[in-house]
Amino acid sequence: MSLYAKRGVSAQKEEVHAATKNIDKGLYPKAFCKIYKDILGNDEQWVNVMHADGAGTKSILAYLYWKETGDISVWKGIAQDAIVMNLDDLLCVGIHDNILFSSSIDRNKNLIPGEVLQAIIEGTQEFFDNISKYGIDIAFLGGETADVGDVVRTIAVNGTMTARWPKNKIVTNENIRHGNVIVGMASFGQSVYEVEYNSGIGSNGLTSARHDVINKYYKENFAETFDGSLDDEVIYIGKHRLTDDVSVSFRDQQLKTNIGKLILSPTRTFAPVVKNILEEHFDKVNGLIHCSGGGQTKCMKYVPEDVHIIKDNLFEAPEIFKIIQQSSRADDKEMYQVFNMGCRLEIYAEEKNADKILSAAREYGIDAQVIGRVEEGNGKSLSIETKAGAVSYQF
């Protein structure tokens, strides 16, 4: 059993999928989000989407970093994580504007004071104000803040997004086909709309990142940050403190940061560049995949049957994932199905159209390249080429 499983989490969410297998999949079963008829407007030419997600256990890392350093600004990053995990899922069905957002914050009031709530709420509005400069308008409709210390150890930050969108402007992944190439967009670096280097960690796999990288100091001093029923061998087994210095190489520069800031890098949104691509080249996009839960295997839920997905030109994994793998000793197969490994958005297109998509990404300072292709297969399978060799998955 992997360390991930021993900690009570699952990259593939098998039990969740089993519980929801009989639920209506919406108008387009391969679409990245459930798309439904236009109940809000009752127009056959429009559709509705409602989506819920959150920052997950990344909020525990923010709690630890805040307690250790006093830096309350980390909570603004958690606000961004909860938003982007919704927003970038909506991007994958073509939605990039006129969105409603409602937040949901559950806290243990004895540990999470009002100043933390204020930082999260103000961070939410700050993100919306910044992203509106790029033509993405999201209305913040408030939400629910509950004091539920008997349920939540520290804090859980989640949100729901709703949109009404023209039916002829949605992406359903039904056009993904043999011969398509996969354009990948880097989750790391510094885009034109980011103020500092982003490690690329996103908001998935943070249970592993937290326990594998940081050390027993946090078990001994912050029992509220882990499940007490876990075996000691899987609790905070790394060698680092969150304040440990680390150097990162990016674009021929050496950047100084620390472990905590790397793991807490706010999830990058691809909304500005995807908006540009969909407005200028909508007919050239065959599919969109957000490599969130499930990492580089996420695509297999949305591609057609009888395909072999080959990813043989992924970005070199950025420093944060190297640190995690060195600490956990996880093999490549597990790493690539838990983490995005530096590539968090995939666009499926005809090879002749790839350059237009690549150019759009680079205008925003985002590294992008053709990372793979779609071939015919017997059943659904995925091959990923790593430095240590190929890893394969059968679905």
Side-chain angles (χ1 to χ4, degrees):
M1 184 183 293
S2 70
L3 286 173
Y4 204 60
K6 287 180 180 179
R7 292 173 179 138
V9 285
S10 169
Q12 302 300 323
K13 297 183 178 179
E14 292 90 348
E15 291 186 359
V16 174
H17 296 313
T20 60
K21 66 181 180 181
N22 296 321
I23 300 296
D24 178 15
K25 299 298 189 292
L27 299 176
Y28 306 96
K30 291 295 185 183
F32 198 84
C33 299
K34 183 175 178 178
I35 300 173
Y36 213 66
K37 64 181 181 180
D38 183 26
I39 294 175
L40 295 177
N42 196 30
D43 188 328
E44 291 185 357
Q45 302 307 312
W46 290 68
V47 295
N48 296 163
V49 175
M50 179 177 284
H51 189 68
D53 211 329
T57 61
K58 199 170 183 178
S59 61
I60 298 174
L61 278 157
Y63 174 81
L64 291 172
Y65 194 82
W66 166 63
K67 295 291 282 186
E68 189 163 5
T69 68
D71 183 0
I72 201 165
S73 69
V74 296
W75 292 107
K76 291 188 176 183
I78 296 299
Q80 179 170 325
D81 294 318
I83 296 164
V84 174
M85 292 304 290
N86 281 284
L87 175 58
D88 283 30
D89 280 5
L90 290 190
L91 294 178
C92 291
V93 294
I95 296 170
H96 52 75
D97 201 4
N98 297 323
I99 299 166
L100 308 180
F101 180 80
S102 176
S103 69
S104 175
I105 303 173
D106 293 337
R107 69 164 175 163
N108 184 326
K109 186 178 180 181
N110 291 325
L111 296 175
I112 305 295
E115 62 179 344
V116 170
L117 292 181
Q118 183 176 352
I120 293 170
I121 292 168
E122 290 180 353
T124 298
Q125 188 60 60
E126 185 178 305
F127 179 86
F128 293 151
D129 291 344
N130 289 337
I131 205 72
S132 69
K133 299 172 186 176
Y134 296 89
I136 294 98
D137 292 314
I138 304 173
F140 187 12
L141 270 60
E144 164 73 353
T145 300
D147 296 336
V148 286
D150 286 339
V151 179
V152 177
R153 289 174 176 269
T154 53
I155 189 169
V157 183
N158 300 297
T160 301
M161 279 188 172
T162 303
R164 182 172 177 263
W165 201 250
K167 198 173 186 178
N168 66 348
K169 290 295 182 180
I170 58 173
V171 178
T172 65
N173 293 331
E174 293 178 327
N175 292 326
I176 296 175
R177 59 177 67 94
H178 311 147
N180 280 179
V181 297
I182 309 168
V183 176
M185 295 193 187
S187 59
F188 63 96
Q190 186 173 351
S191 68
V192 298
Y193 47 86
E194 291 172 311
V195 297
E196 61 183 354
Y197 174 82
N198 194 314
S199 73
I201 188 69
S203 292
N204 296 103
L206 270 299
T207 297
S208 279
R210 175 166 50 95
H211 284 295
D212 289 338
V213 172
I214 61 179
N215 64 32
K216 292 293 183 188
Y217 167 84
Y218 300 95
K219 176 181 182 293
E220 295 162 0
N221 291 277
F222 299 100
E224 67 272 27
T225 65
F226 59 89
D227 180 353
S229 68
L230 296 178
D231 290 336
D232 184 72
E233 66 179 9
V234 301
I235 301 170
Y236 297 134
I237 63 173
K239 63 181 181 180
H240 294 286
R241 290 279 291 269
L242 291 171
T243 52
D244 286 355
D245 292 333
V246 63
S247 179
V248 176
S249 177
F250 177 64
R251 291 180 181 167
D252 299 323
Q253 297 183 45
Q254 288 296 315
L255 308 176
K256 302 295 184 182
T257 183
N258 63 37
I259 292 292
K261 287 184 177 180
L262 282 184
I263 304 180
L264 282 163
S265 284
T267 308
R268 165 183 288 175
T269 181
F270 295 96
V273 63
V274 172
K275 175 183 172 70
N276 177 283
I277 290 168
L278 291 173
E279 288 183 339
E280 300 294 329
H281 309 293
F282 176 81
D283 60 338
K284 297 176 176 61
V285 175
N286 290 3
L288 277 161
I289 304 294
H290 181 196
C291 300
S292 49
Q296 287 302 317
T297 70
K298 184 79 170 185
C299 58
M300 302 310 291
K301 288 180 60 181
Y302 305 100
V303 296
E305 307 301 322
D306 298 321
V307 298
H308 182 198
I309 302 295
I310 299 172
K311 299 182 183 181
D312 55 3
N313 191 40
L314 284 163
F315 302 98
E316 180 180 352
E319 189 66 27
I320 186 59
F321 300 110
K322 295 177 183 177
I323 292 171
I324 293 169
Q325 188 167 20
Q326 288 166 2
S327 298
S328 66
R329 301 185 186 88
D331 61 19
D332 283 342
K333 187 163 189 174
E334 181 169 1
M335 290 294 295
Y336 280 87
Q337 66 182 354
V338 171
F339 300 101
N340 70 68
M341 299 301 284
C343 181
R344 228 191 67 240
L345 192 78
E346 298 175 349
I347 300 182
Y348 291 71
E350 298 294 331
E351 186 173 10
K352 64 182 180 181
N353 297 323
D355 283 346
K356 294 181 177 63
I357 296 168
L358 292 168
S359 296
R362 290 165 184 161
E363 285 181 15
Y364 290 86
I366 295 174
D367 289 347
Q369 62 194 40
V370 174
I371 62 167
R373 59 193 183 278
V374 183
E375 293 187 350
E376 291 188 46
N378 182 16
K380 286 201 292 187
S381 59
L382 167 66
S383 297
I384 297 175
E385 190 68 38
T386 74
K387 280 190 172 182
V391 292
S392 299
Y393 308 83
Q394 196 75 32
F395 293 83

